[in-house]
Amino acid sequence: MDHDLTEFRPISWQDDASVTLIDQTRLPLEEAWLRFDDYRGLVGAIREMRVRGAPAIGIAGAYAVALAAVECERQGAEDLEGALDAAAREIRAARPTAGNLAWAVDRMLERALLSGGACALVSEAKRIHEEDVVANRDIGRYGAELLDTGASVLTHCNTGALATGGYGTALGVVRSAWSQGKLSTVYATETRPLLQGARLTAWELDRAGIPFTLIPDSAAAYLMRLGSVGAIIVGADRIAANGDVANKIGTYGLAVLAREHGLPFYVAAPTSTIDLDVDSGVGIPLEHRPTDEVTSVAGVPITVQGAQALNTAFDVTPAECVSAIITERGVLRGPYHRSLESLLEAAHA
Ligand code: MRU
């Protein structure tokens, strides 16, 4: 397998009309690749978090629409649009918080209306994928400019190549700053309950040769108090029109801590994560996942049988806690309802 993570793609379209992806539930212990030639299988993989991270979920969703179109054509279905609408509903529901998923599915349906059949939809999905990689590189460059030389950054969850089309958003900033010699170290939170930081960010940083220290989520406040953290950089699952940010559970706590300690709190995300149809974080659907993800680790129970548990997978960080939003079109500052709107207006002009 390719260990150059600047080129690493967690998901790819194959010429035999199938999609391959690295199974993120098995990393870092096993690097296993899965292949799907039916859209329902791919939707299952999104739901089970074999592919995860908002931009990667969006790309997987686009490929799922393409697979559904291929299946329709093979079966000689007459009503392609109707069939795709039904598939789109299933795909969108797989991970409700990730704005990129709804965005990518909508873009695929718009493309379907222009006709061209499955072939055009496959090309559109590949385009969504490539655009994401390019966006990440730009996010990385813009974000690195914000960091002081010798900076140490703290990041949460996994926002790297695995969570995107390739390269990464917040971890793309880390990667870019590291390649410029600006970064001293990275603190990666383990990210309970599913340990995306311990399993996936550690896997990526290790292979990229970037020094990192894994910390329990609960150590963040202590490290900030010690003065060991220069900035916090996270990704986003969805950004509302007012700049509120939905991201992995625990992000809000880090933002409040950053404010308390006078540290910059940066959110790195492509414009495909911005949802101007949602006024504020209150309108962002937050995914609730099975509680056994909290009551066990890697399938091993860690609490008493029948314990009640809470597994809200995301929280919302209010816009006023966000120092800047780093996009592929530049760095935005508050008030975000203005900067986000003008950014998207310029993008569509
Ligand atoms: O539940 P996950 O692992 O899909 O959550 C991922 C995150 O919260 C990421 O921070 C976010 O999707 C941005 S990924 C570039």
Coordinates of all heavy atoms in Angstrom, one line a residue, residues 49 51-57 95 98 156-160 163-164 168-170 194 196 200 234-237 246-249 251 268 270 287 289 313-314, ligand 1:
M49 N -19.2 3.8 9.6 CA -17.9 4.6 9.7 C -16.7 3.9 9.2 O -15.6 4.1 9.7 CB -17.8 5.1 11.2 CG -18.9 6.0 11.5 SD -18.9 6.6 13.2 CE -17.4 7.5 13.3
V51 N -15.9 4.5 6.3 CA -15.4 5.7 5.7 C -16.0 6.8 6.5 O -17.2 6.7 6.8 CB -15.7 5.8 4.2 CG1 -17.1 5.6 3.9 CG2 -15.2 7.1 3.6
R52 N -15.2 7.8 7.0 CA -15.8 8.8 7.9 C -15.0 10.1 7.7 O -14.0 10.1 7.0 CB -15.9 8.3 9.3 CG -14.9 7.4 9.9 CD -13.5 8.0 10.1 NE -13.5 9.3 10.7 CZ -12.6 10.2 10.6 NH1 -11.5 10.0 9.8 NH2 -12.6 11.4 11.2
G53 N -15.5 11.2 8.4 CA -15.0 12.5 8.2 C -15.8 13.1 7.1 O -16.0 12.5 6.0
A54 N -16.3 14.3 7.4 CA -17.4 14.9 6.5 C -17.0 15.0 5.0 O -17.8 14.5 4.2 CB -17.7 16.3 7.1
P55 N -15.8 15.5 4.7 CA -15.5 15.5 3.2 C -15.5 14.1 2.6 O -16.0 13.9 1.5 CB -14.2 16.2 3.1 CG -14.1 17.1 4.4 CD -14.8 16.2 5.4
A56 N -14.9 13.2 3.3 CA -14.8 11.8 2.8 C -16.2 11.2 2.7 O -16.5 10.4 1.7 CB -13.9 10.9 3.6
I57 N -17.0 11.5 3.6 CA -18.4 11.0 3.6 C -19.1 11.6 2.4 O -19.9 10.9 1.7 CB -19.2 11.4 4.9 CG1 -18.6 10.6 6.1 CG2 -20.7 11.1 4.8 CD1 -19.1 11.1 7.4
R95 N -25.4 9.6 7.5 CA -24.7 10.4 8.5 C -25.3 11.8 8.5 O -24.9 12.6 7.6 CB -23.2 10.5 8.3 CG -22.4 9.2 8.4 CD -22.1 8.5 9.7 NE -21.7 9.3 10.9 CZ -20.5 9.5 11.2 NH1 -19.5 9.1 10.5 NH2 -20.2 10.2 12.3
A98 N -23.0 15.5 8.8 CA -22.0 15.9 7.7 C -22.7 16.7 6.6 O -23.4 16.1 5.8 CB -21.3 14.7 7.2
H156 N -8.2 17.7 17.3 CA -9.2 16.8 17.8 C -9.7 15.9 16.7 O -9.9 16.3 15.6 CB -10.4 17.6 18.4 CG -11.4 16.8 19.2 ND1 -11.0 15.9 20.2 CD2 -12.7 16.8 19.2 CE1 -12.1 15.4 20.7 NE2 -13.2 15.9 20.1
C157 N -10.1 14.7 17.0 CA -10.6 13.7 16.1 C -9.6 13.4 14.9 O -8.4 13.6 15.1 CB -12.0 14.2 15.5 SG -13.0 12.9 14.7
N158 N -10.1 13.1 13.7 CA -9.2 12.9 12.6 C -9.7 13.7 11.4 O -10.9 13.6 11.0 CB -9.1 11.4 12.2 CG -8.3 11.3 10.9 OD1 -8.9 11.3 9.8 ND2 -7.0 11.3 10.9
T159 N -8.9 14.6 10.9 CA -9.2 15.5 9.8 C -8.2 15.4 8.7 O -8.0 16.3 8.0 CB -9.3 16.9 10.4 OG1 -7.9 17.2 10.9 CG2 -10.3 17.1 11.5
G160 N -7.6 14.3 8.6 CA -6.5 14.1 7.7 C -6.9 13.5 6.3 O -8.1 13.6 5.9
A163 N -10.0 11.4 6.3 CA -11.3 12.1 6.5 C -11.8 12.9 5.3 O -12.8 13.5 5.4 CB -11.2 13.0 7.8
T164 N -11.0 12.9 4.3 CA -11.2 13.8 3.1 C -11.0 13.0 1.8 O -10.8 11.8 1.9 CB -10.3 15.0 3.2 OG1 -8.9 14.5 3.1 CG2 -10.4 15.8 4.5
G168 N -6.2 16.4 3.7 CA -6.8 16.7 5.0 C -7.1 18.2 5.2 O -6.5 19.0 4.4
T169 N -7.9 18.5 6.2 CA -8.3 20.0 6.4 C -7.4 20.5 7.6 O -6.4 21.0 7.3 CB -9.8 20.1 6.7 OG1 -10.1 19.2 7.8 CG2 -10.6 19.7 5.5
A170 N -7.9 20.3 8.8 CA -7.1 20.7 10.0 C -5.7 20.0 9.9 O -4.7 20.6 10.2 CB -7.8 20.5 11.3
L194 N -14.9 6.7 19.8 CA -14.4 5.8 18.8 C -12.9 6.0 18.5 O -12.3 5.3 17.6 CB -15.2 5.9 17.5 CG -16.6 5.4 17.7 CD1 -17.5 5.5 16.4 CD2 -16.6 3.9 18.1
Q196 N -10.9 8.2 17.1 CA -10.3 8.6 15.8 C -9.0 9.3 15.9 O -8.1 9.2 15.0 CB -11.3 9.6 15.1 CG -12.6 9.0 14.6 CD -13.7 9.1 15.7 OE1 -13.4 9.1 16.9 NE2 -14.9 9.2 15.2
L200 N -6.5 7.0 14.2 CA -6.4 7.4 12.8 C -5.4 8.6 12.6 O -4.5 8.6 11.8 CB -7.8 7.8 12.2 CG -8.8 6.7 12.4 CD1 -10.2 7.2 11.9 CD2 -8.4 5.5 11.6
V234 N -9.2 22.5 14.4 CA -10.1 21.4 14.2 C -10.8 21.5 12.9 O -10.7 22.5 12.2 CB -11.2 21.4 15.3 CG1 -10.6 21.2 16.7 CG2 -12.1 22.6 15.3
G235 N -11.5 20.4 12.5 CA -12.3 20.4 11.3 C -13.7 20.7 11.6 O -14.0 21.2 12.7
A236 N -14.6 20.5 10.6 CA -16.0 20.8 10.9 C -16.9 19.8 10.1 O -16.5 19.3 9.0 CB -16.4 22.2 10.4
D237 N -18.0 19.4 10.7 CA -19.0 18.6 9.9 C -20.0 19.4 9.2 O -20.5 19.0 8.2 CB -19.7 17.6 10.9 CG -19.0 16.2 10.8 OD1 -17.9 16.1 11.2 OD2 -19.7 15.3 10.2
A246 N -20.6 22.6 13.8 CA -20.8 21.3 14.4 C -19.6 20.5 14.1 O -19.1 20.4 12.9 CB -22.0 20.6 13.7
N247 N -19.0 19.8 15.1 CA -17.8 19.0 14.9 C -17.8 17.9 16.0 O -18.7 17.9 16.9 CB -16.5 19.8 14.9 CG -15.4 19.0 14.4 OD1 -15.4 18.4 13.3 ND2 -14.3 18.9 15.2
K248 N -16.9 17.0 15.9 CA -16.8 15.9 16.9 C -17.1 16.3 18.3 O -16.5 17.3 18.7 CB -15.5 15.2 16.7 CG -15.2 14.0 17.5 CD -16.2 12.9 17.4 CE -16.5 12.4 16.0 NZ -17.8 11.7 15.9
I249 N -17.8 15.5 19.0 CA -18.1 15.8 20.4 C -16.8 16.0 21.2 O -15.8 15.3 21.0 CB -18.9 14.6 21.1 CG1 -19.5 14.9 22.4 CG2 -18.1 13.3 21.2 CD1 -20.8 15.7 22.3
T251 N -15.4 19.1 20.8 CA -14.9 20.3 20.2 C -15.3 21.6 20.9 O -14.4 22.5 21.2 CB -15.4 20.4 18.7 OG1 -15.0 19.2 18.0 CG2 -14.8 21.6 18.0
A268 N -10.9 24.5 10.2 CA -10.5 24.4 8.8 C -11.5 23.5 8.1 O -11.7 22.4 8.5 CB -9.1 23.7 8.8
P270 N -13.6 22.9 4.0 CA -13.9 23.4 2.6 C -15.2 24.1 2.6 O -16.1 23.9 3.5 CB -13.9 22.1 1.8 CG -14.2 21.0 2.7 CD -13.7 21.5 4.1
E287 N -26.0 13.8 15.2 CA -26.2 12.4 15.1 C -26.1 11.7 16.5 O -25.1 12.0 17.2 CB -25.1 11.8 14.1 CG -25.2 10.3 14.0 CD -24.0 9.8 13.1 OE1 -23.2 10.7 12.7 OE2 -23.9 8.6 12.9
R289 N -25.5 8.1 18.1 CA -25.1 6.8 17.7 C -25.3 5.7 18.8 O -25.6 6.1 19.9 CB -23.6 6.8 17.3 CG -23.3 7.7 16.1 CD -21.9 7.6 15.5 NE -21.6 6.2 15.2 CZ -21.9 5.6 14.0 NH1 -22.5 6.3 13.1 NH2 -21.5 4.4 13.8
A313 N -22.8 12.2 18.8 CA -21.5 12.1 18.1 C -20.8 13.5 17.8 O -19.6 13.6 17.6 CB -21.6 11.4 16.8
F314 N -21.6 14.6 17.9 CA -21.1 15.9 17.6 C -21.6 16.9 18.6 O -22.7 16.7 19.2 CB -21.6 16.3 16.1 CG -21.1 15.3 15.1 CD1 -21.9 14.3 14.7 CD2 -19.8 15.5 14.6 CE1 -21.4 13.4 13.7 CE2 -19.3 14.5 13.6 CZ -20.1 13.5 13.2
Ligands
MRU1 O1 -17.7 10.8 13.3 P1 -16.6 11.2 12.4 O2 -15.3 10.4 12.6 O3 -17.0 11.1 10.9 O4 -16.3 12.7 12.8 C1 -15.3 13.4 12.0 C2 -15.1 14.8 12.5 O5 -15.8 15.2 13.5 C3 -14.2 15.6 11.8 O6 -13.6 16.6 12.6 C4 -15.0 16.4 10.6 O7 -15.8 15.5 9.9 C5 -14.0 17.1 9.7 S1 -13.1 15.9 8.8 C6 -12.1 16.8 7.7

